[in-house]
Amino acid sequence: MKIQHIFFDLDNTLWDHRKNAYLTIKDLFEKQEITLHYNIDFESFHTVYHEINERLWEQIRDGLIDKEYLRKHRFYDTFKHFGVDDEELSQYFEEHFLDKILNHNELVEGAEYILEYLKSKHYTLHVISNGFQEVTERKCILSGIDKYFKTITSADSVGVRKPNPKIFEYSLGLAEAHKEESILIGDDWIADVVGSQNFGLDVIFFDVYKENRQEEGLKVITHLLQIKEYL
């Protein structure tokens, strides 16, 4: 069956979460004069935050913690790493991070071009995100890419996250699409690639970090414009 429906992961596949998060945390860091008060270098702080945040998101994906735990700990644990045990300061960062990150809406290089290209080829486009429901749609709207999508599914809508097959089943049902005529494009090996494969959905792995994973028959890109080689 010919591909008709394309499902995109959002964060770091289309919407540049890493860059937008970096800029947001830098703004908050400077506003609170963290270097002056605590003698913490921003780049060191961000590196530790990134590692902690990635680990917590993996635990959310695996069902080990919930989003409330992540929100309570990602900044608190980062500050504590630098010897600053301050729940109020950590909560300030958390609350303002979620609000202010939407002031930065950088897209991954080539995102808008490839969405325009795929739309011109009459594919029907969708989003399946593991992000929080309250920000997923706003990210699409504020970055100007919402107009390309027929449906937007966030994990909170379903109560499970990729790679759980229920989120793929829900999203395909919402899209009125069949597996055989659908493909997913995403950057997370476990959530997107393994999740899609276990569900029986074709997938393109967006190898952002150039992990060079070898798997027979796997479609791999390192830049969004390479999608044109497959679709």
Side-chain angles (χ1 to χ4, degrees), residues 168-182:
F168 297 101
E169 188 175 352
Y170 175 91
S171 193
L172 263 68
L174 191 66
E176 299 179 316
H178 300 289
K179 288 183 196 180
E180 299 78 14
E181 58 183 14
S182 304

Side-chain angles (χ1 to χ4, degrees), residues 6 8 13-14 108-111 113-115 117-118 123 183 185 203-210 212 218-231:
I6 303 173
F8 279 94
T13 298
L14 295 173
V108 173
E109 186 177 12
Y113 174 89
I114 202 66
L115 290 172
Y117 168 82
L118 294 171
Y123 291 105
I183 193 167
I185 301 166
V203 62
I204 295 174
F205 176 41
F206 182 21
D207 190 8
V208 180
Y209 290 125
K210 297 180 174 59
N212 297 316
L218 179 66
K219 301 175 179 70
V220 181
I221 59 171
T222 56
H223 192 286
L224 288 176
L225 298 192
Q226 293 172 326
I227 290 171
K228 294 168 76 172
E229 296 173 13
Y230 296 109
L231 296 167

Side-chain angles (χ1 to χ4, degrees), residues 3-222:
I3 296 295
Q4 296 181 38
H5 294 268
I6 303 173
F7 293 81
F8 279 94
D9 170 58
L10 183 62
D11 286 345
N12 300 318
T13 298
L14 295 173
W15 197 84
D16 198 339
H17 181 83
R18 292 183 193 93
K19 186 172 184 179
N20 295 325
Y22 176 91
L23 294 171
T24 304
I25 297 168
K26 196 169 193 290
D27 289 346
L28 295 171
F29 198 88
E30 291 173 354
K31 186 176 181 182
Q32 291 299 304
E33 299 182 320
I34 300 300
T35 300
L36 177 66
H37 294 306
Y38 302 104
N39 195 30
I40 303 171
D41 171 68
F42 172 71
E43 294 299 336
S44 300
F45 180 89
H46 180 263
T47 298
V48 172
Y49 165 82
H50 179 73
E51 290 171 358
I52 288 171
N53 188 55
E54 289 289 302
R55 186 165 64 247
L56 289 170
W57 271 107
E58 287 172 5
Q59 290 176 311
I60 279 188
R61 181 197 67 204
D62 297 340
L64 301 174
I65 62 171
D66 58 19
K67 67 180 182 181
E68 283 73 26
Y69 185 93
L70 177 139
R71 287 178 169 178
K72 183 177 179 182
H73 282 273
R74 59 181 169 184
F75 285 106
Y76 178 75
D77 291 357
T78 303
F79 275 110
K80 200 165 181 185
H81 174 88
F82 292 96
V84 180
D85 189 344
D86 189 332
E87 286 190 24
E88 190 175 336
L89 179 63
S90 303
Q91 200 54 39
Y92 170 88
F93 265 72
E94 181 60 36
E95 289 172 2
H96 286 79
F97 173 76
L98 288 174
D99 184 41
K100 302 294 185 185
I101 193 171
L102 295 175
N103 291 340
H104 300 283
N105 281 287
E106 299 285 338
L107 295 172
V108 173
E109 186 177 12
E112 194 144 20
Y113 174 89
I114 202 66
L115 290 172
E116 194 68 47
Y117 168 82
L118 294 171
K119 201 77 173 176
S120 73
K121 293 286 191 180
H122 306 294
Y123 291 105
T124 305
L125 310 181
H126 312 270
V127 165
I128 308 180
S129 172
N130 268 0
F132 301 143
Q133 183 177 354
E134 60 268 31
V135 294
T136 298
E137 288 192 9
R138 289 177 68 199
K139 284 177 178 178
C140 293
I141 292 166
L142 293 173
S143 63
I145 59 174
D146 60 303
K147 62 190 176 188
Y148 295 106
F149 304 116
K150 180 184 176 184
T151 67
I152 297 174
T153 299
S154 64
D156 289 355
S157 307
V158 196
V160 295
R161 287 176 159 73
K162 297 175 289 184
N164 191 305
K166 289 180 182 176
I167 191 169
F168 297 101
E169 188 175 352
Y170 175 91
S171 193
L172 263 68
L174 191 66
E176 299 179 316
H178 300 289
K179 288 183 196 180
E180 299 78 14
E181 58 183 14
S182 304
I183 193 167
L184 181 133
I185 301 166
D187 71 297
D188 188 289
W189 180 260
I190 300 295
D192 297 316
V193 179
V194 175
S196 294
Q197 289 175 336
N198 288 346
F199 181 67
L201 180 66
D202 200 4
V203 62
I204 295 174
F205 176 41
F206 182 21
D207 190 8
V208 180
Y209 290 125
K210 297 180 174 59
E211 297 175 44
N212 297 316
R213 290 181 182 265
Q214 301 297 322
E215 189 175 290
E216 190 178 348
L218 179 66
K219 301 175 179 70
V220 181
I221 59 171
T222 56

